[in-house]
Amino acid sequence: MDEKYSFSLRKIALLGGINNYIAVSSRELGDALGMSQQSASKRILELLEEKYLIRDLGARRQRIKITDIGVEELRKEYNEYRRIFELTDHVTLHGKISSGMGEGGYYINQKPYMDQFYAKLRFKPFEGTLNIKVAVEDLDKLEVVRNMPGHVIDGFEKDGRTFGKVMAYRAKIQNLDCAIVVPERSHYEDTMELVCKFHLRRTLSIKDGDDVAVIVDLTPLSPEN
Amino acid sequence: MDEKYSFSLRKIALLGGINNYIAVSSRELGDALGMSQQSASKRILELLEEKYLIRDLGARRQRIKITDIGVEELRKEYNEYRRIFELTDHVTLHGKISSGMGEGGYYINQKPYMDQFYAKLRFKPFEGTLNIKVAVEDLDKLEVVRNMPGHVIDGFEKDGRTFGKVMAYRAKIQNLDCAIVVPERSHYEDTMELVCKFHLRRTLSIKDGDDVAVIVDLTPLSPEN
DNA sequence: ATTACTAGTAGACGAGTAA
DNA sequence: TTTACTCGTCTACTAGTAA
């Protein structure tokens, strides 16, 4: 989101525009934003154009409300601040082993993915992926991780099929190096996928339903990644 | 803090500039901020001028660190996001406008009530009360509000008739300051009464049956109330 | 009162370039 | 390579004002 929109949207959110329509004149908004009535009016039109805001333009007073898209953008910024102030160098995610759909394995075993894993994370994933259903109390932490820049594993095409771009985050499970892999075009999910050099189920003697803790490395990446 | 500085400072914080000096060239910062090397260089000079940043300008690479002043400004923004997303300071009650029995108006217009409203809520109710039938799913939230300490409006006697003690809770309806008034000896009710400085039906262009949201302020009262 | 257009202006930006 | 100057362009702002 453009920074000028972020500031305006945040102030509207503070006026209560997240859950409800609020009656705010362009003059009032201008005062809140430290700008003129005219500029605030224009800003509202821009935010409407960007679909961050919807409006009910009554005869007397306009009423505005932040859209889901707008709330999502604000939440991304919130997560950036959480990374700054709450999470220092790592975060622990608790969850349970789940079998999932087994699709991850087929994807991860593709050579172009494998080669990139080795180049960027310094290990070749042994098997497919280990699915972990993250505990509800840690889901917001998972969202913070998802919004961080990770190791980029580029997508490719093969046999007419598209393999999407994936983000990988260094992590540890029971002191074993591993990585969380997140498809770029993923929505809100409560399950994360782990890849590791070893066969995790066998090496750690874990089975579906077991509780595990995954420690995700949050130290900033060096630029060449 | 000027919004253009806030954005830059946040990105520097995400690069690790809060606790340590970090080596970031103006080109790298420009890339992170989506601007040119020249503009990033200028931005760093401005942030230094504002005392949000200190710099160790080495021969090859500059190293920058966010000052305590800068961290404080970032924390203010973080707190704004916390207010937005961790809202424990207010509760939203949804409901429909209802005409009610019109009794509230007669009571509230009594001078002893009016005087106390002005003394404690800093406004004189324009007319009587606006009745709102609270949605079933929010009734438990209304009960929470009813059980909270509010502004006490004392009762009195007049012409042999008793006017009871009333509790008032600061609230907002479409960003307009108002108050919920609750007679002390009231049983379970699904209707709440609002008072406001303005004629709410006219000001907000609302009529019976319209859906509204009332945001009740839950911040603790200062002792003199 | 409102919202929002047009026009004029100040300031933010990047290209070129020096140190 | 760096940082950061000058300068031309262009965008974002406000004043005036219409609806």
Side-chain angles (χ1 to χ4, degrees), chain B residues 4 10 28 49 59 68 71 89 111 113 132-133 176:
Chain B
K4 72 178 182 181
R10 183 163 85 240
E28 285 168 347
E49 179 69 25
D68 289 348
V71 174
D89 60 345
K111 194 169 183 305
Y113 277 149
I132 296 174
K133 189 178 156 76
L176 242 57

Side-chain angles (χ1 to χ4, degrees), chain B residues 4 34-39 43:
Chain B
K4 72 178 182 181
M35 54 169 57
S36 69
Q37 172 271 318
Q38 291 88 339
S39 295
R43 181 61 50 85

Side-chain angles (χ1 to χ4, degrees), chain A residues 191-204:
Chain A
T191 300
M192 61 181 177
E193 297 186 60
L194 252 64
V195 294
C196 180
K197 184 178 177 177
F198 304 105
H199 187 302
L200 283 172
R201 285 173 190 266
R202 201 161 55 214
T203 309
L204 303 175

Side-chain angles (χ1 to χ4, degrees), chain A residues 184-195:
Chain A
E184 191 182 42
R185 298 256 167 255
S186 73
H187 334 112
Y188 178 84
E189 274 272 0
D190 66 352
T191 300
M192 61 181 177
E193 297 186 60
L194 252 64
V195 294

Side-chain angles (χ1 to χ4, degrees), chain B residues 85-97:
Chain B
F85 290 110
E86 303 168 29
L87 19 98
T88 48
D89 60 345
H90 67 266
V91 61
T92 305
L93 299 173
H94 299 268
K96 279 185 197 300
I97 306 295

Side-chain angles (χ1 to χ4, degrees), chain A residues 4 34-39 43:
Chain A
K4 71 178 186 183
M35 52 168 59
S36 68
Q37 172 272 318
Q38 291 87 339
S39 296
R43 180 61 50 86

Side-chain angles (χ1 to χ4, degrees), chain A residues 1-10 43 47 52 77, chain B residues 2-11 33-35 43 81:
Chain A
M1 178 167 52
D2 193 315
E3 61 180 296
K4 71 178 186 183
Y5 298 144
S6 129
F7 185 74
S8 310
L9 215 55
R10 182 163 84 241
R43 180 61 50 86
L47 290 169
Y52 294 145
E77 311 235 315
Chain B
D2 191 314
E3 62 180 296
K4 72 178 182 181
Y5 299 144
S6 129
F7 185 73
S8 309
L9 215 56
R10 183 163 85 240
K11 296 302 176 189
L33 296 175
M35 54 169 57
R43 181 61 50 85
Y81 281 100

